[in-house]
Amino acid sequence: MKHVPIVVLDFGSQYTQIIARKLRESGVYSEIVPYSESIEDIMARTPKGLILSGGPASVYATDSYHPDSTIFDLGLPILGICYGMQLIAQHFGGSVVPASSHEYGKAKLEFIDENEIFKDTPNGQTVWMSHGDRVESIPSGFEKIAISENSPFAAIADTSKNIYAFQFHPEVYHSEYGTKLLKNFAKYICGCESTWNMGSFAKEQIDRVKKQVGNKKVLCAVSGGVDSSVVATLLFEAIGNQVIPVFVDNGLLRANERDQVETIFRSRGIDLITVDASEKFLSKLAGITDPETKRKIIGETFIEVFDTEAKKHSGVEFLAQGTLYTDVIESVSVKGPSKTIKSHHNVGGLPDWMKFELVEPLREIFKDEVRELGLELGLPRNMINRHPFPGPGLAIRVMGDVNKPDLDLLRKADIILLDVLHSTGYYEKTWQAFTVLLNVKSVGVMGDNRTYDNTVCVRIVDATDGMTATFAHIPHEILETISRRIINEVDGINRVVYDISSKPPATIEWE
Ligand SMILES: Nc1ncnc2c1ncn2[C@@H]1O[C@H](COP(=O)(O)OP(=O)(O)OP(=O)(O)O)[C@@H](O)[C@H]1O
Ligand SMILES: O=c1[nH]c(=O)c2[nH+]cn([C@@H]3O[C@H](COP(=O)(O)O)[C@@H](O)[C@H]3O)c2[nH]1
Ligand SMILES: NC(=O)CC[C@H](N)C(=O)O
Ligand SMILES: [Mg+2]
């Protein structure tokens, strides 16, 4: 087994893969393994350090997750994060209890003690908390090295054992020096070198596709978004005309989307096959209001369409998708016991009867890394910088029953939002922006007449990987323009609201 400088044990946190991503950003290769991985398999990777991830369980609960405790006797440096910290505290004789006040979101980290793991990061830095339990007492031999307003033990360490633990999540974007803290652990505590880069990743994926596919054909599901566009480009580099690019008009697209996607791919000399399956999707979704049921129907219908299309060509055994890690972690438990947040159509929505073998070269990485890879592969900027658009499209942005009149109403609102953001330069400054049709009607007054019409929510977020996000602080005059234009230009909408929820605790999409 190849040398893996850092092995990450996954206890089911939504953020576990981001740990690996942040280490990659620092040029350090790591692998994520289930928390139950055997000591033999861990040591076969000759690691220089271990990281114990966060997780949804409580260490004091009977159904909590515990690794082979031998990991604490290997003499390897260990960093525990949140649940991982609580495991360390419990293992070495400290105590963990439910916190009287849960702590979700930003906190200020105050150093108690100069420590190499904080090297070149400022005291008072912002960190991201997401926990409902806390360390009540620390084990003997450990010392408190940092606190926060709600966490008397925000960071602890037993430097004689090279064991460190953070109550906060250094891996998430909103921990402003988190990447540096992880790099300090890898570099100064574990002695790792910075040798990993994106160029090596692209070559590794092309070789993997060639090996997996051989001389068979691959149906490449293309949405026009950056993820599947990067996959299509990687596949064309790897296996040329064995790729069959298919774009499905599922009736859930934004205004003009189909034309835009076909134009972009035609301009790149890619002969895209467009399948109009809008009737099929809308008839299957009629009357369905539960978000997870919608997602399952959409995921299954996509595969039915791909299956029918594949039968028109000989030797198609594979389905390529632009599945990212974010799609995966929120849909299924990857390696640890993570909770399903929502079944992304291209992961949790795949039917059992599907015969295709999946080709998903981006499954371990995140949106911003995909963009970096797209630049490496020479994709145009308008493709790279496109905001993410979910496969289920407007089906998860019309609350409740999805029907054509509501879809058309939402399309008119959405195109106005995007027009204002493009014309004010805020499209490029934000990660994702869209409108949601709420199944809420309210009273309005227009031209001295009473109205009783629909409400649209505007959702604009800042993020880097979609795992955490904050609402975008757009100038009020721009929000006012968006509201005024939607209400004046779209019959049937008399109210516009702005979503000011971060992720967590909300998700980016409403369904
Ligand atoms: N309309 C579509 N036609 C064909 N494949 C699709 C379509 N929508 C989604 N997919 C497949 O599902 C995967 C995940 O969907 P998603 O909406 O995330 O698109 P994407 O290509 O990942 O782009 P982005 O996330 O940047 O909008 C895509 O990568 C693609 O393989
Ligand atoms: O391809 C996709 N299929 C899906 O089913 C799906 N659901 C959410 N998203 C996108 O994922 C990111 C995180 O969204 P959430 O915070 O709502 O989970 C955001 O960018 C969402 O737009 C999806 N993408
Ligand atoms: N993010 C985490 O690891 C949370 C740990 C534990 N479930 C708590 O709520 O405190
Ligand atoms: Mg995507």
Side-chain angles (χ1 to χ4, degrees):
M1 197 177 283
K2 75 177 184 182
H3 169 54
V4 177
I6 299 283
V7 171
V8 181
L9 273 70
D10 183 12
F11 292 87
S13 169
Q14 294 293 313
Y15 308 141
T16 301
Q17 186 70 15
I18 308 179
I19 299 170
R21 177 183 167 298
K22 291 294 187 178
L23 289 168
R24 286 195 293 268
E25 215 172 278
S26 306
V28 176
Y29 179 68
S30 65
E31 281 186 6
I32 293 176
V33 300
Y35 68 91
S36 52
E37 186 86 346
S38 71
I39 297 299
E40 184 193 0
D41 288 346
I42 290 173
M43 296 313 285
R45 294 171 169 89
T46 57
K48 299 173 82 80
L50 303 177
I51 294 180
L52 312 183
S53 83
S58 293
V59 292
Y60 48 76
T62 48
D63 62 349
S64 55
Y65 314 111
H66 293 266
D68 180 331
S69 58
T70 317
I71 63 164
F72 298 112
D73 309 320
L74 298 171
L76 283 174
I78 297 176
L79 171 63
I81 296 173
C82 202
Y83 182 83
M85 170 191 205
Q86 295 161 1
L87 269 180
I88 289 170
Q90 183 188 61
H91 174 80
F92 288 102
S95 63
V96 178
V97 296
S100 50
S101 63
H102 292 189
E103 197 176 12
Y104 296 108
K106 295 177 183 174
K108 200 172 174 187
L109 192 70
E110 302 294 344
F111 298 156
I112 296 293
D113 184 8
E114 275 305 303
N115 193 293
E116 211 161 23
I117 202 160
F118 297 136
K119 189 178 172 66
D120 300 332
T121 69
N123 194 1
Q125 63 190 267
T126 297
V127 293
W128 191 267
M129 294 281 186
S130 178
H131 67 107
D133 299 326
R134 66 178 176 82
V135 173
E136 184 187 40
S137 65
I138 60 175
S140 63
F142 278 76
E143 56 187 8
K144 176 166 51 173
I145 57 174
I147 61 171
S148 72
E149 188 183 348
N150 290 323
S151 292
F153 301 119
I156 62 174
D158 178 341
T159 47
S160 69
K161 294 190 179 79
N162 272 332
I163 297 183
Y164 293 77
F166 296 158
Q167 182 59 74
F168 59 90
H169 288 266
E171 69 275 24
V172 299
Y173 171 75
H174 298 290
S175 287
E176 55 184 340
Y177 292 89
T179 304
K180 183 72 175 100
L181 296 175
L182 289 170
K183 183 171 185 176
N184 287 348
F185 173 69
K187 187 174 176 182
Y188 300 117
I189 313 294
C190 303
C192 296
E193 303 288 324
S194 294
T195 54
W196 187 90
N197 59 63
M198 191 52 86
S200 57
F201 177 80
K203 187 182 174 323
E204 193 178 305
Q205 294 311 317
I206 287 171
D207 294 344
R208 264 171 72 174
V209 167
K210 283 178 180 169
K211 200 168 160 205
Q212 181 186 3
V213 170
N215 63 355
K216 299 298 181 192
K217 287 195 184 132
V218 181
L219 189 149
C220 183
V222 170
S223 73
V226 65
D227 310 339
S228 50
S229 304
V230 166
V231 167
T233 307
L234 272 176
L235 260 60
F236 275 105
E237 284 219 14
I239 54 176
N241 60 11
Q242 291 170 247
V243 185
I244 303 163
V246 175
F247 170 55
V248 176
D249 179 350
N250 53 15
L252 305 166
L253 303 175
R254 289 167 296 191
N256 312 325
E257 184 131 33
R258 174 169 166 172
D259 295 343
Q260 287 165 4
V261 173
E262 289 172 338
T263 305
I264 284 186
F265 275 82
R266 202 175 300 121
S267 69
R268 292 176 55 76
I270 295 179
D271 188 13
L272 193 59
I273 298 170
T274 299
V275 179
D276 185 344
S278 44
E279 273 310 305
K280 187 182 180 73
F281 277 84
L282 294 184
S283 57
K284 286 185 159 210
L285 285 167
I288 303 295
T289 56
D290 171 64
E292 278 300 292
T293 311
K294 285 184 189 177
R295 288 167 171 279
K296 297 285 185 194
I297 289 172
I298 290 165
E300 178 143 26
T301 309
F302 264 126
I303 301 304
E304 281 173 17
V305 172
F306 296 144
D307 207 38
T308 307
E309 192 56 36
K311 288 190 175 102
K312 297 175 187 171
H313 310 265
S314 62
V316 178
E317 295 183 11
F318 297 89
L319 170 66
Q321 297 190 119
T323 303
L324 301 191
Y325 182 74
T326 14
D327 304 338
V328 179
I329 185 59
E330 294 198 348
S331 302
V332 292
S333 168
V334 180
K335 293 184 166 101
S338 57
K339 301 292 183 200
T340 295
I341 305 300
K342 53 181 72 174
S343 300
H344 287 230
H345 76 282
N346 49 315
V347 182
L350 298 177
D352 300 339
W353 52 260
M354 181 176 85
K355 293 186 294 298
F356 294 115
E357 182 179 331
L358 289 175
V359 175
E360 296 179 316
L362 309 181
R363 198 176 170 89
E364 299 274 315
I365 66 173
F366 289 85
K367 182 66 87 183
D368 52 322
E369 291 178 301
V370 175
R371 290 196 170 115
E372 195 186 326
L373 182 54
L375 286 172
E376 286 260 339
L377 295 167
L379 264 63
R381 283 229 173 250
N382 63 345
M383 208 180 235
I384 298 279
N385 295 330
R386 187 177 182 267
H387 283 185
F389 182 67
L394 302 185
I396 58 174
R397 296 177 177 175
V398 170
M399 295 298 98
D401 170 44
V402 179
N403 55 73
K404 193 161 182 326
D406 283 352
L407 287 166
D408 289 339
L409 197 63
L410 186 60
R411 283 188 186 101
K412 290 175 187 162
D414 206 67
I415 202 164
I416 290 169
L417 167 65
L418 294 179
D419 183 46
V420 174
L421 294 183
H422 278 298
S423 59
T424 57
Y426 274 87
Y427 184 87
E428 290 71 26
K429 291 177 189 167
T430 52
W431 196 74
Q432 192 168 20
F434 53 90
T435 50
V436 183
L437 184 64
L438 309 186
N439 47 7
V440 167
K441 288 205 171 188
S442 67
V443 176
V445 55
M446 295 169 86
D448 294 335
N449 291 311
R450 178 183 185 276
T451 60
Y452 188 61
D453 274 337
N454 293 288
T455 300
V456 151
C457 170
V458 171
R459 178 72 158 147
I460 309 173
V461 296
D462 293 326
T464 48
D465 53 27
M467 293 303 288
T468 57
T470 50
F471 76 90
H473 293 218
I474 302 288
H476 287 177
E477 57 275 12
I478 293 180
L479 291 177
E480 193 175 358
T481 304
I482 292 166
S483 173
R484 178 173 42 75
R485 281 198 53 192
I486 288 175
I487 291 170
N488 288 352
E489 298 174 32
V490 185
D491 285 344
I493 296 172
N494 71 355
R495 189 178 300 274
V496 175
V497 295
Y498 190 52
D499 185 344
I500 59 170
S501 319
S502 63
K503 175 183 182 183
T507 55
I508 294 174
E509 300 288 350
W510 275 52
E511 288 192 342

